[in-house]
């Protein structure tokens, strides 16, 4: 615990601001997420299938376009790009309750998902720019814990603001994002100053690469990333893994409502949600701070093992204590895998393409949309046992792509355009 508080005290002010902003944006996002299906049904008269299509398409499009958002983050001053995205999100969420056209609402949600995904990518890249490599895993883990706190608080605040009117959660989200925007505006010179100092320290090393990056267009950046097998393999592993841990509450709700009464299912989902949040918040920093680049594959193997054990436990019984125990083990896997993925991408990303690499890694969130589709199909056309077997197979396949990614060699210097990243050893 002393090392935790020492780390907080030693963090630069810009990094502290980014961490607080990450938690604020999580509050904003989850305040809307919990309320959005109800709003689309009540205010716009959308049916359940249409709502699912709208939310799924917005998520997928936002995730894919965030690759270009990462490219823009490399081209512009990152903190200025974040400020612009925050302004866009504030306007979109603040204006959403005033829109009555379903098509316009869908367009706004699409734009908001693109801006939100690009914001996440840019924040990852800026955080890595501001930190020495030895502290990045710890801070990524700390940020993930803060985001989970925001995710736990956001839905309650969203429900509370509904009492103020139908658009209450949207106005809350706009206000929270605006509040997160203010410190970026006030202290933006600290961000640019820190980035400039870091750039000066690495000037001799990356000057040629930076010149190349300035002249590279988006197509050329994509060509560089395609040539890096490590990035492609790890992204595939991330997609398969997040299918399993990303939509946990969704597919467990789908499963439990088919094997238990509705009331029992709701109660068990509440236990699952609480257990997952408590384990993430209480263990994320403790475990994440121990991740090391040289032993990353070993940690990913342990994380995959935790996923498998948790899934087996959930498949065995719907007894509350067994479900909770299985979720605790399962969540340990999540606590390991999430920061490990960020650490790997940060390790292989050239300094001049860090935003683009994090944008590519952000494609893993496509798995969040895929998971419920696979699980729903298997529950309808096969059995719960088949669903859990498929999830186990997917997470093991994801681990194998991690293995291949860690063992792959870096692309040649000519192909990587000045890349200086080293290979992560198992």
């Amino acid at each position: 615990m002393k090392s935790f508080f020492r780390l907080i005290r030693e963090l630069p002010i810009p990094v502290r601001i980014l961490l607080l902003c990450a938690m604020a944006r999580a509050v904003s996002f989850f305040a809307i997420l919990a309320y959005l299906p109800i709003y689309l049904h009540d205010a716009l008269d959308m049916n359940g299938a249409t709502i699912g299509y709208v939310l799924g398409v917005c998520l997928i499009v936002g995730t894919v376009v965030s690759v270009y958002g990462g490219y823009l983050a490399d081209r512009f001053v990152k903190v200025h790009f974040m400020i612009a995205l925050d302004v866009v999100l504030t306007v979109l969420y603040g204006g959403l309750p005033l829109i009555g056209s379903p098509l316009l609402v869908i367009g706004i949600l699409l734009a908001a998902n693109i801006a939100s995904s690009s914001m996440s990518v840019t924040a990852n890249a800026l955080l890595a720019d501001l930190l020495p490599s030895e502290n990045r895993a710890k801070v990524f883990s700390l940020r993930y814990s803060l985001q989970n706190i925001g995710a736990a608080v956001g839905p309650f605040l969203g429900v509370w603001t509904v009492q103020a009117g139908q658009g209450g959660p949207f106005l809350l989200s706009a206000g929270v994002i605006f509040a997160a925007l203010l410190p970026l505006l006030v202290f933006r010179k600290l961000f640019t100053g820190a980035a400039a100092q870091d750039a000066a320290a690495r000037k001799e090393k990356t000057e040629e690469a930076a010149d190349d990056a300035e002249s590279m267009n988006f197509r050329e950046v994509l060509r560089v990333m395609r040539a890096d097998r490590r990035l492609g393999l790890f992204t595939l592993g991330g997609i398969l893994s997040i299918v399993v841990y990303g939509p946990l509450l969704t597919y467990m709700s789908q499963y439990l409502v088919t094997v238990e009464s509705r009331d029992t299912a709701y109660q068990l989902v509440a236990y699952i949600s609480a257990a997952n949040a408590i384990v993430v918040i209480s263990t994320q920093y403790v475990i994440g701070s121990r991740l090391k680049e040289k032993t990353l594959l070993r940690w990913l193997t342990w994380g995959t093992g935790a996923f498998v054990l948790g899934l087996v436990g959930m498949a065995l019984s719907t007894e509350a204590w067994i479900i909770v125990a299985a979720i605790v083990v399962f969540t340990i896997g999540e606590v390991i895998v999430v920061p490990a993925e960020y650490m790997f991408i940060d390790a292989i990303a050239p300094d001049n393409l860090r935003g683009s690499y994090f944008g590519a890694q952000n494609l893993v969130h496509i798995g969040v949309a895929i998971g419920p589709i696979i699980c729903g199909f298997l529950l309808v056309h096969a059995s719960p046992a088949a669903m859990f077997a498929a999830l186990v197979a997917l997470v093991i396949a994801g681990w194998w792509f991690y293995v291949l990614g860690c063992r792959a060699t870096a692309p040649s210097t000519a192909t990587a355009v000045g890349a200086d990243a080293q290979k992560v050893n198992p």
Side-chain angles (χ1 to χ4, degrees), residues 255 309-319 322-323 326 388:
Y255 158 65
L309 289 176
L311 288 168
V312 170
M314 286 182 266
L316 289 177
S317 174
T318 56
E319 288 287 335
I322 294 178
I323 288 282
F388 284 109

Side-chain angles (χ1 to χ4, degrees), residues 19-73:
L19 292 175
L20 290 175
C21 287
M23 184 169 66
R25 292 190 191 98
V27 170
S28 170
F29 178 80
F30 284 95
I32 290 179
L33 187 64
Y35 169 71
L36 195 54
I38 299 171
Y39 173 80
L40 294 176
H41 179 270
D42 293 347
L44 302 178
D45 199 30
M46 291 186 185
N47 59 38
T50 302
I51 292 170
Y53 292 139
V54 168
L55 298 182
V57 168
C58 287
L59 173 64
I60 292 173
V61 172
T63 299
V64 172
V65 177
S66 69
V67 177
Y68 188 71
Y71 166 75
L72 293 178

Side-chain angles (χ1 to χ4, degrees), residues 347-359:
I348 69 170
D351 291 330
N352 55 312
L353 295 179
R354 184 170 279 123
S356 299
Y357 267 63
F358 275 118

Side-chain angles (χ1 to χ4, degrees), residues 70-91:
Y71 166 75
L72 293 178
D74 289 329
R75 302 286 289 187
F76 300 107
V77 177
K78 292 182 178 68
V79 68
H80 293 168
F81 190 45
M82 290 180 67
I83 289 170
L85 291 172
D86 268 341
V87 170
V88 169
L89 286 169
T90 301
V91 172

Side-chain angles (χ1 to χ4, degrees), residues 233-250:
L233 290 167
F234 230 76
T235 300
L236 286 172
I239 290 173
L240 294 174
S241 294
I242 206 171
V243 165
V244 177
Y245 72 82
L248 171 66
L249 291 181
T250 302

